[in-house]
Amino acid sequence: MEHTDRGRPRQTFNNLSAAAVIIGIVVGIGIFRLPSMVAQNASSELHYLGFWLAGGLISVIGALCYAELASNKPDAGGEYHFLREAYGPAVGFLFSWGRMSVIQTGAIALTAFILGDYATTIYPLGPNSSSVYAALTIITLTGLNIWGTQPSKNTQSVLTSLIVIVLIVAGTVGLIHEPSTDVALSSGDVTSSAGAAMIFVLLTYGGWNEGVYLSAELKDVRKNMTRVLLLAIAIITFLYLLINAAYIQVLGLETLRNSDIIGVELSNRIIGSGGALAMALIVIVSALSTANATIITGARTNYALGRDFSLLRFLGRWNKTANAPINALLLQGGIALGLVVLGSFTQEAVTTMVDYTAPVFWFFILLTTGSLFIFRNHSEKKDGRPFSVPLYPLTPVVFMLICLYLLYSSIMFTGTGALVGIGILLLGLPLYYLAQRNQM
């Protein structure tokens, strides 16, 4: 039906449902796996908690920059729209290609695989159990989003509420739990490395920027985008400080440094032998929340790409009935399923994907923040902006310096993986020139 293909996004997200998507993306499996790596670079409990607080503050600085961009230029394409407007269609196209081929689809596949690993501990489905669960997760959640934005949004709110409740309960119970005997035994000879620690902290905070992809669907976006981003980050920072304080209280810094299954350790200490099952269920809920939220925002970039390039026009169709970009969802789901198939033959493919996404991610965050200066230079007057980042230009400059440092750190940390990610990104150049020729 042709009329459904010419639809446009409707403003169906309120502040809470939009914040739920952001929280759902950010508060995922990372908080149950990465704190041990942060602890390995912290010389004391105070340093450890300080890193997590710093992660929240850095995210707030970035969110203020993004809030001005999204408030002034709301669009379903989010960062793609900002990059295209500021730097031209080539940069916007490359960014969209990177999200579609690596960043978003890789995150969806990885999250689905981790869900599969934990689901297999409860009920195995044969030799490729994790892959089967991962594929079913992607198919089910993509189908949910094709059904419509309303059911996917409602599901996201429920999943996010569950994981928030779990973290609040686990953190609160952990804080009132009898302190671990390991707390006093944390060795003092560990050197604090802020750079290494913050890579993992900000990876755990990663995803707050996804809120701008809902700017075309957020009610009264010019007034509410800033509120949504700051509300989400405030809740996330509170949850992370709470659960990490519980880790310190129950496990102690030394145990935290040497544990790869922190969540299981915490639940075992608190509720006994049933902890492993409880944690498996918690991680499954968390993975569902992250995967669904990533599917919601990832498809919006693909839609914007198809809307702007006739070669990919099939992606730029918005179904009015479902209020969703169905073709964009189908392609995204197909690529993610392809990665699951690849991962079923070798887990290295999925693991490497985690490595090579970081440099590409921070490179585009850096460019997106830089677009703020370009728009300001071409802007009319301050009164015409619904929101202006405080302490301009200091705030965006500070955030860009942080992005530069993290870009450098992620390249040094990932090594070959970074080159693979950059190589896949550059494959988008021939496709872009083909798309440009098709426009003529």
Side-chain angles (χ1 to χ4, degrees), residues 44-63:
S44 69
E45 289 83 357
L46 187 60
H47 277 161
Y48 175 77
L49 293 175
F51 290 144
W52 291 100
L53 177 60
L57 294 176
I58 290 171
S59 298
V60 166
I61 294 172

Side-chain angles (χ1 to χ4, degrees), residues 19-31 34 51-52 54-60 62-63 66 79 99 103-104 107 111 197-211 213 229 232-233 236-237 240 286 289-291 293-294 297 357-358 361-362 365 399 403 406:
V21 172
I22 299 171
I23 296 168
I25 291 176
V26 176
V27 182
I29 50 179
I31 194 60
L34 299 180
F51 290 144
W52 291 100
L57 294 176
I58 290 171
S59 298
V60 166
Y66 267 58
E79 291 157 307
R99 271 177 71 88
I103 300 173
Q104 293 297 99
T111 304
M198 291 310 296
I199 289 174
F200 298 109
V201 168
L202 290 173
L203 181 59
T204 315
Y205 272 96
W208 54 262
N209 57 299
E210 298 290 302
Y213 292 94
L229 288 171
I233 291 174
I236 292 162
T237 304
Y240 280 0
S286 177
S289 175
T290 300
T294 307
T297 58
T357 54
F361 173 79
W362 285 112
I365 291 281
F399 189 63
C403 291
L406 289 164

